[in-house]
Amino acid sequence: MRRRRALVVWMVLAALLAIVGTIEYRDAKASRSARATRVDESLLVPLPIDQVWAIEIADAGTLHRFERDAAGTWFYHGVHVGSEAAHEHASDAASAARIETAFQAFGRTRIERRLPPGTDARRHGLTSPRTLVLVYRRGERQPVAQYAVGEVSPDSVSLYVEMVGGAGIVTIPGYQVDNLLSLVSAVRDAAPAR
């Protein structure tokens, strides 16, 4: 009888240890996941670039769309002007690598300065910007982030950027936008003629 009770006690203890172990494992996994998805507040892009599925860059009225294919490889979706139905879907290893490199760099863009709330966007060239950047998650129609790129700041190396949606006006290194526009030129020029 004592052996049976001792066996039951040990079985209950083993079951409790298994439950505690499972709970601890799930908590640790959730904590790692939360740390991995947390983005530094000083970064311009609000999510890791590996979670970005498409980026649109509108420059001087022309929309250039970059997407990932089913395997997650970047490609230049093409130029979209107005209601154009036909467009290019060019994908090759060299351009995919260049796109990946440019977007990884853009994903690391640090906010240099935050302007006070209520700052007049007109003073910084943000009411009719020449360049817009839209960032999308996979399967979402609405962008996660939208940026209007304004004028060069007085330091001559930073650009004013409005984080559309009420997040405010910031300055970022101008070379980050230059890199995106260079990418657009490179892939546009490399795209086969229609």
Side-chain angles (χ1 to χ4, degrees), residues 49 52-57 64-67 74 103 106 133-136 180:
I49 207 70
V52 172
W53 205 255
I55 294 181
E56 293 177 338
I57 301 168
H64 303 273
R65 183 172 172 89
F66 298 85
E67 287 184 33
W74 284 102
F103 290 157
F106 183 67
V133 179
L134 293 88
V135 178
Y136 296 86
L180 292 179

Side-chain angles (χ1 to χ4, degrees), residues 32-50:
R32 279 192 304 269
S33 176
R35 279 194 305 270
T37 59
R38 191 177 319 141
V39 175
D40 186 346
E41 291 291 322
S42 67
L43 294 177
L44 181 68
V45 181
L47 68 160
I49 207 70
D50 62 346

